[in-house]
Amino acid sequence: VTLSGYVSGSFNCVAVGARTISNQNYAVSPVLSGDSLRIVLTWGANPVDLDAHFTGPTTSTARFHVYYASDATNGVKLDLQDGTSYGPETITVSQFLPGVYRYSVHDYTNATVTTSSVLSNLSGAQVRVFQGGTQIATFNAPTGRVGNLWTVFEMDGATRAITPKNQISNIASSNVVPYPRDDDAGEPALVETERYFWLPPKK
Ligand SMILES: [Ca+2]
């Protein structure tokens, strides 16, 4: 896929006679200015709604959290939220501070279910990371797991080094998702009440 002003990419189409095959779309991402980062989430027909969550350091000890209910802060913007299958759901990062940034995908459709393997086995979720005109990383949801939260990767704000996480975990009760911790990053530990964030209803 090549388009002027966009990052080129490629994907495989599946063609089977007299059958309609889902999830054959491909999202092209505009060339970024400078060294901005763009994170593109795409998936298949199921579930209907996956959500991108991005957390990171601020100039205080607090951490910011960009997602559908808080779509722009600290140089990070959720450009596009999609709740009708396929995506793309896109986050652009134009500012980096020292510390750990973390990108996660939450299965909002199955937010109240603790036995779902839809995110892992059916979603076909893929996360692509672009820096400037280059795709620098690709992640596919790990299969064979139960859970509605895919912790995809971390990025060091100072070096921009990406650390794949690829963990699938579950929530213990409805409407809460474990707040990404930074226990292993040398950052101030969050107090216990910050471990969970409330997921507001979709408009
Ligand atoms: Ca969504």
Side-chain angles (χ1 to χ4, degrees):
V1 180
T2 306
L3 196 61
S4 178
Y6 290 78
V7 181
S8 296
S10 62
F11 73 114
N12 296 318
C13 281
V14 181
V16 179
R19 278 187 60 193
T20 301
I21 311 292
S22 65
N23 195 23
Q24 302 233 51
N25 302 310
Y26 187 84
V28 290
S29 189
V31 172
L32 299 168
S33 59
D35 56 359
S36 292
L37 205 71
R38 179 163 296 136
I39 307 162
V40 180
L41 166 66
T42 53
W43 68 97
N46 291 300
V48 168
D49 194 0
L50 292 183
D51 288 330
H53 289 259
F54 195 62
T55 64
T58 66
T59 52
S60 74
T61 55
R63 287 174 64 77
F64 73 81
H65 177 203
V66 164
Y67 66 122
Y68 66 86
S70 175
D71 61 6
T73 183
N74 287 274
V76 178
K77 190 170 186 299
L78 176 66
D79 305 296
L80 205 56
Q81 124 72 14
D82 180 72
T84 54
S85 300
Y86 307 112
E89 190 153 318
T90 303
I91 283 177
T92 302
V93 188
S94 56
Q95 167 192 304
F96 287 93
L97 297 171
V100 173
Y101 291 79
R102 185 177 293 114
Y103 181 88
S104 306
V105 173
H106 177 238
D107 181 352
Y108 187 89
T109 301
N110 292 295
T112 61
V113 181
T114 57
T115 55
S116 174
S117 58
V118 171
L119 172 60
S120 174
N121 286 341
L122 288 180
S123 73
Q126 185 176 67
V127 170
R128 288 176 292 142
V129 184
F130 299 88
Q131 189 166 312
T134 308
Q135 185 171 326
I136 61 172
T138 306
F139 301 93
N140 294 293
T143 55
R145 318 274 180 87
V146 170
N148 52 27
L149 185 72
W150 172 25
T151 305
V152 184
F153 70 89
E154 294 179 346
M155 175 174 255
D156 185 309
T159 66
R160 306 287 188 90
I162 287 178
T163 303
K165 305 301 279 188
N166 280 323
Q167 297 161 342
I168 300 276
S169 59
N170 224 329
I171 57 174
S173 60
S174 63
N175 291 330
V176 292
V177 171
Y179 194 100
R181 298 294 301 271
D182 295 295
D183 297 344
D184 55 356
E187 295 185 355
L190 299 171
V191 297
E192 195 64 19
T193 53
E194 291 177 304
R195 285 199 65 189
Y196 300 92
F197 55 80
W198 178 257
L199 285 171
K202 293 287 176 78
K203 292 188 181 72

